[in-house]
Amino acid sequence: MAVWRYDGTFSGFLTLCAELVTRREEPEGIIFGESLQAELFRSTVDVENNDARAEKMLGAIAARISPESCRTLWCAFQSRKEGVELLLWRYLQFGRVTGAKCDRFLAHPAVAPVHKLALSVGHEAHTVRGIVRFQETAGGQWYAAVEPAYQILELIAPHFAARCADMNWLIHDVRRNLAVAWNGSEWRLTTFDAQGVPPLSANEATWSALWRSYFAAVAIPQRANGRLQQQHLPKRFRKYLTESV
Amino acid sequence: MDTTTMTLEEKIRILAESARYDVSCSSSGSSRSNTKGGIGNAASSGICHSWSADGHCVSLLKILLTNICIYDCAYCLNRRSNDIRRVALTPEEVAELTINFYRRNYIEGLFLSTGVVRNPDYTMELLIRTVRTLREEHRFNGYIHLKLVPGADPLLVEQAGRMVDRVSINLELPTRGSLALLAPDKSREAILLPMRQVSGLITARRDQGRNAPPFVPAGQSTQVIIGATPDSDFRIMTISEQLYQRMGLKRVYYSAYVPVAGDPRLPALIATPLLAREHRLYQADWLLRFYGFRADELLDAGSPDLDQELDPKTGWALRHRQLFPVEVNRAEYEVLLRVPGIGVRSAKRIVRARRVQRLRREELAKLGVVMKRARYFLTADGAGSEGTDLSPERLKELLLPGKKRRSDSGQLSLFPPDPRDLSGITGEL
Ligand code: SF4
């Protein structure tokens, strides 16, 4: 058995899986990038990303297991939890045996952890759809900074593309130096490492001030419950909220 | 009254403070897609955008058009006899505010209510003008929840319903008697009539098929005030049940009365709002809507109020111990739902998983079952709980929430659940 290495992309991971299937091999571990682990093991197999092969693999998963399981796979992958690749590989192996029934084994050790990861990534995306705060830039564009726990920009982009179709917006994942940007007709994931907030439009301060005073007024003092508020709004979100800066 | 010299900011503050006693913040249950060149859509699952200092989800811009009111409802801050500053926003101002908040993703849409100015029809027309400005001039396709004015012309009600996602008219008080006492200007009929009308129009719309123009796609809701009158929980739940069954309401909200200014018609003793009671009512309401319970299973004339210590489902299960334990590999979905510690989500998972796998106790926790509670009421592959011969008293003790949880001091960790929050609460019941 060997440790297998890929380039860190989802497509790269799928290529790796396809290669494992072809060679009928079981990996000892799946890693990406430079790592001590790779040096410690004598044999590391490097797999180069191949988009066409990845695409084919995804098609095969959709056919053999189900289209939903492709989505589950992708969501769980985005968690980037250490060791997630091996979990996903085992899930796929289990799916090859059980076929379309795979996702009914909700309590099975090959399935449960993958569902759990996918669910928590989906949940993070849902929350972020609400807490994104756009600011209008001097150039008439809309900028938002977020620090989600997972890499979920691609999960939220379609939502804002539909909703804010008439705005040129950009959502910046500050920690990962990534952004999704919408130009009025399509969205794109790009690397983005600009620092700080771009210059804002003259109106921006007025509207954000109005929002802050509105926000302060909606809480009923006799029902104050700071603990509950904090529970819903983790710190990583509060940093960029108009109402809490 | 002097509404012009005030800044927009002051007006917003006053009108938001007056609107906050309406609990509903739901933005779910509709689906409206954006139009070309338009802004916004309504997501069917509902989205929270923030949480206020009282722990409430903030989803909609919840505001009054004006706090001027010709009526004198005892429990209301805006009542005619209350000496407060009166302000008004124009429909255009509200529309502008909504759009600008929406573009910044502060909100999911608008929840617009108002005091009654001049007469119900005039007021209703102001509300409609606001909505029309948003929909037609700003091409806003986001969520709108509109309050109906009691006594407004049915034609206006229908017109409003064609443009918004949800309407509501508050029942306010559970009985005719308490309404007459505390809201002398509103008759029960003036509230029930539009509710019935909307319910009829929703049904009619459903029969017309998919392509008919929408009519309040997210349905209608209402709100009942808790603790301002001596009405029992049984009375309240029975009314809710009827509203769900006969009027097809989507939601009944319960609002613990917050003393907003002394009025001789109100109980003087409520120092803090009855949050614990409100919380139990929400749980019982949840049982009516998603768990197949009837109000008279949870309460009756002999015990007309919900147990404050135990959640209503656990209370029910303790009174019906002869029905337990149930075997999770065999029990029907409806039966699983009645097991304390099993929620809608975990019941569905059990049904799905057991088709391919025999479930043992180890698996149940993975499916989201709260074993701490459920273990006394189920068997899994024949294995039951240790100590099934517990006395009812001992069992109740075991099922009580831990001591560290504060009771009705206003710091409940579980707040009225929001519909989208199914996952959060279903495991709890
Ligand atoms: S009609 Fe509405 S705003 Fe006016 S006093 Fe009654 S509850 Fe308050």
Side-chain angles (χ1 to χ4, degrees):
Chain A
M1 284 212 283
V3 169
W4 288 54
R5 181 156 60 177
Y6 71 114
D7 64 355
T9 64
F10 187 55
S11 164
F13 171 68
L14 289 173
T15 314
L16 186 151
C17 292
E19 187 61 22
L20 281 169
V21 173
T22 318
R23 294 211 213 160
R24 296 169 186 266
E25 279 197 42
E26 235 344 272
E28 164 105 39
I30 304 175
I31 56 168
F32 66 88
E34 300 297 319
S35 87
L36 190 62
Q37 210 188 343
E39 289 159 29
L40 289 176
F41 286 87
R42 228 169 307 149
S43 52
T44 305
V45 185
D46 278 296
V47 180
E48 207 171 308
N49 175 28
N50 177 331
D51 282 345
R53 225 171 150 202
E55 194 73 30
K56 224 173 123 201
M57 182 71 194
L58 207 58
I61 298 169
R64 282 285 275 280
I65 311 175
S66 70
E68 284 128 78
S69 81
C70 292
R71 193 176 164 81
T72 305
L73 208 64
W74 187 75
C75 281
F77 179 82
Q78 298 297 357
S79 75
R80 300 296 174 125
K81 277 258 153 65
E82 208 180 317
V84 65
E85 294 91 348
L86 213 51
L87 278 179
L88 296 182
W89 167 249
R90 291 203 191 111
Y91 168 78
L92 284 177
Q93 292 296 90
F94 186 72
R96 274 155 53 106
V97 181
T98 50
K101 273 199 265 173
C102 171
D103 288 303
R104 283 194 198 159
F105 286 85
L106 295 168
H108 194 278
V111 180
V114 173
H115 278 208
K116 205 170 157 197
L117 281 178
L119 207 69
S120 81
V121 170
H123 190 258
E124 180 77 0
H126 181 77
T127 311
V128 172
R129 280 182 203 116
I131 56 97
V132 158
R133 294 287 180 266
F134 286 118
Q135 295 176 283
E136 191 179 28
T137 68
Q141 284 161 323
W142 299 85
Y143 170 84
V146 288
E147 271 182 36
Y150 308 119
Q151 211 272 77
I152 45 82
L153 291 181
E154 291 152 289
L155 274 171
I156 64 170
H159 168 80
F160 288 105
R163 170 166 294 194
C164 307
D166 68 344
M167 292 157 52
N168 281 336
W169 51 257
L170 182 142
I171 304 172
H172 179 191
D173 183 335
V174 179
R175 260 190 332 132
R176 296 181 184 81
N177 292 330
L178 286 172
V180 275
W182 166 259
N183 61 9
S185 59
E186 58 177 9
W187 61 265
R188 221 155 46 87
L189 183 74
T190 58
T191 53
F192 190 87
D193 52 10
Q195 297 291 311
V197 178
L200 299 176
S201 82
N203 284 334
E204 198 47 39
T206 315
W207 291 110
S208 56
L210 285 178
W211 171 247
R212 276 192 287 270
S213 43
Y214 169 78
F215 185 79
V218 293
I220 300 174
Q222 291 95 325
R223 304 185 63 127
N225 192 341
R227 208 164 48 122
L228 191 56
Q229 183 190 31
Q230 308 243 322
Q231 195 178 305
H232 284 298
L233 268 181
K235 269 222 183 66
R236 65 174 184 282
F237 294 148
R238 264 175 271 160
K239 193 162 157 192
Y240 298 103
L241 283 180
T242 316
E243 56 270 32
S244 62
V245 288
Chain B
M1 94 219 92
D2 173 26
T3 70
T4 43
T5 58
M6 221 180 281
T7 65
L8 185 58
E9 186 157 350
E10 282 173 296
K11 288 191 203 173
I12 290 170
R13 186 177 49 75
I14 293 173
L15 294 171
E17 279 176 4
S18 286
R20 69 190 176 193
Y21 301 95
D22 241 298
V23 193
S24 170
C25 80
S26 164
S27 59
S28 64
S30 197
S31 73
R32 188 180 286 274
S33 34
N34 201 353
T35 47
K36 206 160 169 44
I39 168 84
N41 58 13
S44 62
S45 60
I47 296 175
C48 282
H49 287 251
S50 197
W51 281 268
S52 55
D54 54 10
H56 242 101
C57 145
V58 178
S59 181
L60 304 171
L61 165 63
K62 195 188 292 185
I63 199 156
L64 302 187
L65 204 48
T66 176
N67 64 351
I68 300 165
C69 192
I70 56 171
Y71 290 163
D72 202 37
C73 309
Y75 47 80
C76 178
L77 198 60
N78 310 318
R79 64 185 187 278
R80 188 182 61 223
S81 61
N82 200 16
D83 184 19
I84 52 163
R85 279 172 99 182
R86 304 289 170 170
V87 298
L89 290 167
T90 63
E92 289 72 24
E93 280 174 320
V94 172
E96 183 95 356
L97 194 63
T98 307
I99 286 292
N100 275 285
F101 280 8
Y102 193 84
R103 285 197 183 285
R104 288 167 177 77
N105 205 41
Y106 298 161
I107 53 168
E108 199 59 19
L110 172 68
F111 178 2
L112 186 63
S113 180
T114 183
V116 184
V117 210
R118 287 192 219 171
N119 59 58
D121 284 350
Y122 178 80
T123 312
M124 199 65 223
E125 276 166 4
L126 281 177
L127 293 178
I128 290 175
R129 209 172 96 204
T130 313
V131 174
R132 175 161 296 137
T133 308
L134 268 169
R135 290 280 192 240
E136 289 173 7
E137 277 170 42
H138 295 279
R139 299 214 255 168
F140 176 68
N141 297 303
Y143 191 95
I144 300 180
H145 177 163
L146 193 70
K147 205 66 163 305
L148 299 175
V149 184
D153 191 294
L155 281 174
L156 294 174
V157 171
E158 180 168 356
Q159 213 182 336
R162 300 246 168 256
M163 289 188 288
V164 302
D165 296 273
R166 168 169 286 186
V167 294
S168 64
I169 187 158
N170 287 354
L171 199 61
E172 311 288 19
L173 297 158
T175 61
R176 202 173 289 269
S178 24
L179 194 68
L181 178 69
L182 297 185
D185 312 298
K186 288 186 199 164
S187 73
R188 184 89 156 175
E189 276 60 44
I191 294 170
L192 290 179
L193 227 63
M195 212 184 254
R196 219 171 274 134
Q197 184 200 353
V198 168
S199 158
L201 287 168
I202 291 174
T203 317
R205 160 71 182 68
R206 200 177 302 136
D207 297 341
Q208 285 159 12
R210 293 189 149 268
N211 298 323
F215 184 83
V216 290
Q220 63 173 331
S221 62
T222 194
Q223 174 168 302
V224 185
I225 299 166
I226 305 304
T229 53
D231 301 296
S232 71
D233 290 347
F234 183 40
R235 173 126 238 164
I236 294 165
M237 287 327 294
T238 309
I239 288 167
S240 296
E241 184 169 56
Q242 286 171 357
L243 290 172
Y244 289 132
Q245 285 175 358
R246 298 208 199 134
M247 300 261 209
L249 256 71
K250 275 280 155 63
R251 258 334 265 284
V252 176
Y253 289 93
Y254 307 93
S255 168
Y257 173 65
V258 176
V260 280
D263 186 292
R265 291 168 288 181
L266 284 165
L269 289 173
I270 308 176
T272 48
L274 304 169
L275 297 187
R277 183 174 173 204
E278 179 192 280
H279 175 64
R280 293 291 179 224
L281 282 166
Y282 274 108
Q283 291 186 313
D285 182 270
W286 216 258
L287 293 180
L288 294 188
R289 287 184 300 140
F290 300 112
Y291 288 74
F293 280 87
R294 293 190 321 266
D296 63 8
E297 287 182 285
L298 301 171
L299 295 158
D300 53 50
S303 47
D305 289 303
L306 292 164
D307 190 333
Q308 303 278 304
E309 287 186 310
L310 273 181
D311 71 80
K313 186 162 136 184
T314 304
W316 178 86
L318 284 177
R319 290 194 302 277
H320 295 84
R321 286 192 68 198
Q322 75 282 3
L323 302 175
F324 298 99
V326 301
E327 166 56 49
V328 287
N329 286 289
R330 269 197 313 274
E332 310 249 349
Y333 173 72
E334 290 73 19
V335 174
L336 289 174
L337 279 181
R338 293 195 167 219
V339 177
I342 296 184
V344 170
R345 193 188 277 211
S346 45
K348 285 194 174 142
R349 283 185 178 150
I350 288 173
V351 171
R352 193 157 184 221
R354 73 186 182 189
R355 276 191 243 146
V356 289
Q357 184 180 14
R358 193 144 180 96
L359 299 173
R360 293 158 307 162
R361 294 180 46 139
E362 300 89 280
E363 270 101 22
L364 291 179
K366 283 201 194 132
L367 296 174
V369 175
V370 183
M371 285 306 278
K372 217 169 56 188
R373 237 156 333 139
R375 58 200 270 206
Y376 306 109
F377 302 95
L378 55 77
T379 60
D381 204 13
S385 90
E386 55 277 42
T388 29
D389 53 349
L390 289 170
S391 69
E393 294 74 28
R394 174 78 191 117
L395 190 49
K396 178 168 177 175
E397 215 171 279
L398 285 169
L399 289 165
L400 282 177
K403 286 277 174 290
K404 62 179 180 333
R405 207 177 116 168
R406 281 175 253 177
S407 57
D408 51 350
S409 62
Q411 294 287 319
L412 284 170
S413 57
L414 250 172
F415 198 71
D418 219 67
R420 73 187 66 92
D421 216 21
L422 262 161
S423 55
I425 177 142
T426 47
E428 300 290 333
L429 285 170

